[in-house]
Amino acid sequence: MVSTEAPVLSLDLPDPGQDDISTMEFLARLEEAWAVCDRFDLQTEIWRGRILRAVRDREKRGGEGRGTGFLQWLREREISKTRAYSLIQLADSADNLVGEGLLEPDSVNQFSKRAFLETAQAEPEVQQMISEAANGGLPITRKQVRRLSDEFLAATSPLLPEEIRQRTAENLLPPRAVAPLVKELARLPEEQQDDLRRVLQEEPELDRVKDVTHTARWLHRAAEASLAVRAFQQGDLDFEKALQEAQRLDVLGLLADAVGQAQALESAVLKLHTSWRRLGGLQERLWVESGSSTPHLRELLTALQSLSGSTLRVSLGELAGGKRLRLQLVEEAADRLEAPPLPSRDGGDGAPS
């Protein structure tokens, strides 16, 4: 049986109006109290995760509503599914660390909540080092876990050239700068990884590490966004070669931003089209229901024609000087839709300058 008596959390907080205590001591005592709350939160979250896991597993075993009992349980307590499964994952992580013998049950109290989550997601070797420190009675912070994770990643990742790993081991390169590089390289195809590794081999310096990290991030962003840009699906576009040319011109960042904006623009147009079609249908139904007895309603519907017709006129507001934007929506079959010509600098080929 579980005791229904709630444990009392009592903390001795310093008096903000106390003049005989220094600011440094005042903040240190508050930091200490905050750490206690963090540990209390962690224990609570782990047990909430175990409770939710028990409800879910019981439903899987004997439920007849395909999880509806579990969902009902969440609704009654105003818990989202995302929140519930994050708590269950936290409970699983705690059980794994303790169950595998890495962490003593009482050593969980040495962690803040965020430090524990970082440890649960770290490599096994990092978990081993952190658990040994916690078992020895040392308080574990998120900063410590991240530092150890960065050091391990920078020293062992096969994605890095040997020159970078060696300089990191010799403390000539900071692990906090090398770890993001590993994460960005892992997202790229092997051919691009090889190209960037060659750059690092030739110049294994900190500035080059930062440059290559940015380059890898831009390559990933551009490639990921390009998959969602429908304009790139027309014709025989070789996006990889376009990336190589942009990299040669040192404008990868501009290209990544352009592709991202193209994706956002297409998404906005799709939403615009959906809203435009729906507004047109609603206005038509209201027009049929209205008549001479509803002059004000008719006046409102007439005003909406500037948004529901084939030509849209939208005010850009005072910040744009009161300008109005005019858009013409024309629905055409896919085989008839042609891209407009690119504007030229001299205004030739019928395009505005």
Side-chain angles (χ1 to χ4, degrees):
M1 295 292 293
V2 179
S3 173
T4 57
E5 295 183 5
V8 177
L9 178 62
S10 179
L11 299 174
D12 182 20
L13 300 181
D15 184 357
Q18 189 176 354
D19 295 328
D20 59 347
I21 181 175
S22 68
T23 301
M24 184 175 296
E25 183 182 352
F26 178 80
L27 294 176
R29 288 176 62 181
L30 290 183
E31 185 68 29
E32 187 176 319
W34 190 270
V36 173
C37 292
D38 265 349
R39 292 193 293 270
F40 198 83
D41 283 346
L42 175 59
Q43 292 283 5
T44 302
E45 301 271 83
I46 290 174
W47 278 108
R48 286 186 187 275
R50 287 168 176 160
I51 294 168
L52 291 169
R53 185 176 60 194
V55 177
R56 182 201 63 186
D57 293 349
R58 180 72 173 185
E59 180 73 11
K60 284 182 177 180
R61 183 175 181 272
E64 298 178 356
R66 294 188 177 182
T68 54
F70 178 56
L71 296 178
Q72 179 65 26
W73 208 88
L74 297 180
R75 280 193 294 269
E76 290 175 355
R77 288 154 185 82
E78 298 181 350
I79 303 174
S80 68
K81 282 182 65 177
T82 302
R83 169 74 172 153
Y85 279 101
S86 68
L87 290 173
I88 291 174
Q89 184 180 20
L90 177 62
D92 289 341
S93 299
D95 292 347
N96 288 338
L97 288 174
V98 175
E100 293 177 1
L102 293 176
L103 196 64
E104 298 293 334
D106 292 341
S107 297
V108 175
N109 292 324
Q110 302 302 118
F111 291 82
S112 68
K113 179 183 173 184
R114 291 188 298 176
F116 190 85
L117 290 173
E118 290 279 350
T119 303
Q121 297 167 3
E123 296 293 331
E125 294 84 354
V126 176
Q127 290 182 353
Q128 178 73 39
M129 290 186 287
I130 293 294
S131 297
E132 289 176 357
N135 291 335
L138 296 178
I140 306 300
T141 64
R142 185 187 189 190
K143 184 177 181 180
Q144 291 171 320
V145 179
R146 285 197 165 183
R147 178 177 58 80
L148 278 176
S149 295
D150 288 348
E151 291 176 356
F152 178 79
L153 195 61
T156 63
S157 175
L159 296 176
L160 296 172
E162 180 60 30
E163 291 83 352
I164 297 296
R165 289 200 298 268
Q166 182 176 348
R167 290 177 66 82
T168 304
E170 295 171 354
N171 293 323
L172 298 176
L173 289 174
R176 67 177 182 274
V178 179
L181 171 62
V182 177
K183 295 172 184 176
E184 295 300 335
L185 286 175
R187 298 177 175 183
L188 300 179
E190 189 171 348
E191 182 178 351
Q192 291 179 346
Q193 291 179 6
D194 292 338
D195 291 340
L196 296 179
R197 273 194 289 266
R198 280 193 289 270
V199 173
L200 292 171
Q201 287 173 337
E202 295 172 0
E203 191 178 347
E205 303 296 336
L206 179 58
D207 288 342
R208 183 57 62 196
V209 167
K210 293 180 178 179
D211 290 342
V212 171
T213 301
H214 288 309
T215 298
R217 184 178 297 120
W218 289 330
L219 285 170
H220 172 70
R221 282 178 50 192
E224 189 176 54
S226 71
L227 298 176
V229 177
R230 301 190 181 189
F232 294 158
Q233 299 172 8
Q234 303 172 17
D236 299 325
L237 177 67
D238 193 329
F239 188 77
E240 293 297 327
K241 289 188 176 179
L243 278 179
Q244 293 173 6
E245 293 171 354
Q247 186 174 357
R248 188 175 72 244
L249 296 176
D250 198 21
V251 292
L252 264 179
L254 292 176
L255 177 61
D257 286 342
V259 175
Q261 288 298 318
Q263 181 186 4
L265 180 59
E266 283 193 346
S267 177
V269 170
L270 291 174
K271 292 179 181 178
L272 168 66
H273 180 259
T274 301
S275 298
W276 174 68
R277 291 286 299 270
R278 187 177 182 188
L279 176 60
L282 293 171
Q283 187 201 27
E284 184 176 349
R285 288 169 58 188
L286 284 169
W287 189 270
V288 171
E289 296 294 333
S290 64
S292 58
S293 63
T294 56
H296 298 292
L297 179 58
R298 277 291 176 97
E299 186 178 355
L300 182 149
L301 295 175
T302 300
L304 284 179
Q305 287 180 355
S306 63
L307 297 174
S308 60
S310 60
T311 301
L312 279 66
R313 293 177 175 84
V314 182
S315 172
L316 297 180
E318 296 180 0
L319 294 179
K323 293 180 181 179
R324 297 171 66 88
L325 184 66
R326 184 173 63 185
L327 300 173
Q328 186 175 12
L329 298 184
V330 180
E331 293 180 307
E332 293 183 334
D335 56 352
R336 294 183 56 194
L337 191 61
E338 296 180 359
L342 289 173
S344 62
R345 293 184 179 274
D346 57 3
D349 298 327
S353 60

